[in-house]
Amino acid sequence: MANITFITQDNIPVTVHGESGSVMELAVENNVAGIDGDCGGVCSCATCHVHVAKEQFSLVGQASEIEKDMLELDDDADEYSRLCCQIDITPELDGLVLTVAGQ
Amino acid sequence: MKKYQSPDPFTGAREHSGCAYMNDQDDPVTMILRLKDVRKTAHNWKTFQSGAAPGRIVIPSEVNIRDTRQIPFEVDPPMHGSFRALLDPWFKRPLGNEYRAQLGQQVNALVDEVLTKGVIDAVEAFSLCLQSRALTLLLNTDASEADTWIGWGTHVFRSEDDPLDKDKAGLLYDYIDEKINAASADPEGDLYSVLLAAEVEGKKLTHEEIKGIMILTFAGGRDTVINAVTNTISYFAEHPESLTRLRNEPDIIGRAIEELIRYFAPLTQMGRVATQDSTVCEHAIKADSRVSLCWASANRDASVFESPEEVILDRKLNPHVSFGFSHHNCLGATHARQIMRVLVETLIEKVGSIDIVDFEENIEQLGEFERKVGFHRLNVHFHPR
Ligand code: HEM
Ligand code: HEM
Ligand code: FES
C-alpha cells in the first residue's frame, strides 16, 4: 500500500513496503536499526522516534498531546519529530522519508 | 471490591497538591505524584541524581544495610551511559527466538504442573518459580541455579521481624562473590563471565562493580516480576472472559500486557537526591533532600489516562511509567515483557478458569498512604480448558 524509506543513524536508507498496521511495526518487522518499539506501540517508550522530512510533515500530521508530552523530554526531538507507532500506514504515505532519531 | 484491584491511594493528593511527604528513617521524601512532573524530574538527572550514597535513592532507604553501589542504577550520566552501552545488548536477548522458546517451555511445564495440583499458593508455587527459572535464561546460567534461588524464599532481604535485614542481604552478596570467583577461574558463557571480560571506558570492571551489577539483576527483577505475575493471575481469576477475549483477539495481547503493567505498577516509586535547591510543581525541594518518582501514582493521572482506575485490555494510548522513564528506564523490561507475553499465551491456551480460595494482601505503608502492591499469599485453584 505504501513504500516508506527509513534513514538510519549510520545514514543508510532502507525502503520497505507496508500494507497495514503502524509504521513502527513495519520498521520492527524489517529490522530497521534504531527502531525498537519496546512498548509495542502504546506511546510509552519513545524507542520509535523518527524525524519526518520537513516538506512531507503534512502527510503524517501533528502528534497528539500525549505524544507531544513524550517528545518534549527527548533530547533529540525537533518540530518534525514523531513517534512512529502513532502513525498508521495509509496509501497517502507512499514515498515518505523518515530519519531514525538518535538514542 | 474485586480481589485483584489495587485502588489508587494518591488521587486526592495528586489532584490537590501534586506532591506528598513521607518520613523514612529520618531522611524524609517528597513524593512526586503527577505524570508530567515525574517524567520531568526523571529526565533532569543533573538536579535529581541517582549517584548519591549507595542505598539512599531506594525507599525504604538501604544506606544502613549496604555499601555496594548498584550499577547502572546508582550511577549518573555520562558514566551511566557507558555501563548501559555494555549491558543493553545482553538484556535485549529475550527478543531472540531461542530464548522465547526456552521461556515457553518453562512456563508450559509450570502451568501443566499447577493444573494437576489442586489448591496452590501462586506466590510461592508459581510466581517465584517462574521468576527464578526465567532468570537463569537472562543470566545464561545453569538451570539448576533456580532451585537455590527458590530456596531463598520470596523475602531474600527480609526476616520475619526486620524488613531491612543486613544478614539476609549478606546471603545474596556471599553467593554473588562466590559466583564471580568461580567464573574468573573457569569462564563460561554466562553474564558473570561476560562482565569479567568487558571494559567500560577503557578499563576492566572491578570485582565490586561486577557485584553491583549482578546484585541488581537479582534485587530489581525479583519482587517486581513476582508481583506482576501474581497480580496478573488474580486479574484473570476474576476475569475469565478476558482469557477468552485474548484467545480470540491475539493482536491485543501486547496492549493487554502494557495495561496490566500500568495498572499494577509493580515498583511503586524510586528516589532521587537533589543536588541543589529546586522546585517541583511549586513545592520547594532543598539541596541534599530526597524526592521520589511515584510511578504508581503517575499511572493513575486522570489528566492523561481515561478511566485510570479501570483495566482496559486494549488501551491504545498508554504512556505509563511502570518501567521508569528516561536514562534509568528498566534494563530488565524486555525480559519482564517477554515473561508476561509467554505467561498470557500459555494461560489462554491451557487454562479455562482460576478460583481464588483465600489470600493475604501485600500493603505498603508510605507515610499517610497505603498501597496494595500484590499479595503475600494467593491460594488459587487452576482449572484446565
Ligand atoms: C515487571 C517487572 C519490572 C518492573 C515494573 C521494573 C521497574 C523498574 C523501574 C521503574 C526502574 C527505574 C528505576 C529508576 O528510575 O531509578 C527500573 C530500573 C531497573 N530495573 Fe527494573 N523492573 C522490572 C523488572 C526488572 C528485571 C526482570 C530486571 C533484571 C533482572 C530489572 C532490572 C533493572 C535495572 C538493572 C534497573 C536500573 C536501570 C538503570 O539505572 O539504568 N528490572 N525497573
Ligand atoms: C541490593 C539491592 C536491593 C536490596 C538489598 C533491596 C532490599 C529490599 C528490601 C529489604 C525490601 C523489603 C522492604 C519492606 O518490606 O519494607 C525490598 C522490597 C522491594 N524492592 Fe528492593 N532492594 C534492592 C534493590 C531493588 C531494586 C533495584 C528494585 C527495583 C528496581 C527493587 C524493588 C523492590 C520492590 C518492588 C520491593 C517491594 C516488594 C514487596 O514488598 O513485595 N529493589 N527490597
Ligand atoms: S513503540 Fe513505544 S512509544 Fe512507540
Side-chain angles (χ1 to χ4, degrees), chain B residues 42 50 57 71-75 80 84 87 91 131 135 138-139 213 216-218 220-222 224-225 228 261 265-267 269-272 293 295 321-325 327-333 335-337 339-340:
Chain B
S50 296
I57 65 169
I71 300 172
F73 177 56
E74 293 174 323
V75 179
H80 172 263
R84 283 294 292 242
L87 295 169
F91 281 86
Q131 182 272 334
L135 189 61
L138 188 64
L139 304 191
I213 294 171
L216 190 51
T217 60
F218 282 97
R222 197 170 173 93
T224 48
V225 170
I261 289 175
L267 184 61
Q269 59 181 350
M270 195 47 80
R272 296 288 188 266
L293 312 169
W295 320 112
V321 285
S322 283
F323 287 119
F325 184 76
H327 315 80
H328 289 281
N329 68 6
C330 179
L331 184 61
H335 176 73
R337 283 180 164 120
I339 288 178
M340 288 290 284

Side-chain angles (χ1 to χ4, degrees), chain A residues 36 38-45 64 66 69-70 72-75 86 88, chain B residues 36 39-40 43 92 254-255 258 304 315-320 325 327 334 337:
Chain A
D36 294 346
D38 286 350
C39 75
V42 297
C43 204
S44 155
C45 71
S64 67
I66 285 178
D69 287 342
M70 287 290 287
E72 189 195 346
L73 294 173
D74 195 309
D75 296 330
Q86 301 301 309
D88 285 331
Chain B
K36 279 191 195 181
R39 282 213 202 113
K40 258 192 213 153
H43 188 67
K92 288 273 178 193
R255 284 187 197 165
E258 295 304 314
V304 180
R315 194 183 284 276
K316 195 164 181 240
L317 269 179
N318 194 349
H320 70 79
F325 184 76
H327 315 80
T334 312
R337 283 180 164 120

Side-chain angles (χ1 to χ4, degrees), chain B residues 116-137:
Chain B
T116 63
K117 271 208 170 159
V119 177
I120 54 135
D121 175 8
V123 179
E124 294 273 347
F126 192 87
S127 307
L128 173 63
C129 295
L130 173 49
Q131 182 272 334
S132 296
R133 289 177 194 163
L135 189 61
T136 65
L137 297 178

Side-chain angles (χ1 to χ4, degrees), chain B residues 58 60 62 65-66 70 73 157-158 163-165 169 172-173 215-216 219-221 223-224 227 266-268 270 362 364 373 376:
Chain B
V58 184
E62 291 164 4
I65 62 162
R66 68 173 159 100
Q70 292 184 9
F73 177 56
F157 314 107
R158 256 170 290 186
L164 293 168
D165 186 329
L172 182 53
Y173 284 114
I215 191 99
L216 190 51
D223 295 292
T224 48
N227 286 335
L267 184 61
T268 303
M270 195 47 80
N362 178 357
E364 285 179 339
V373 277
H376 288 305

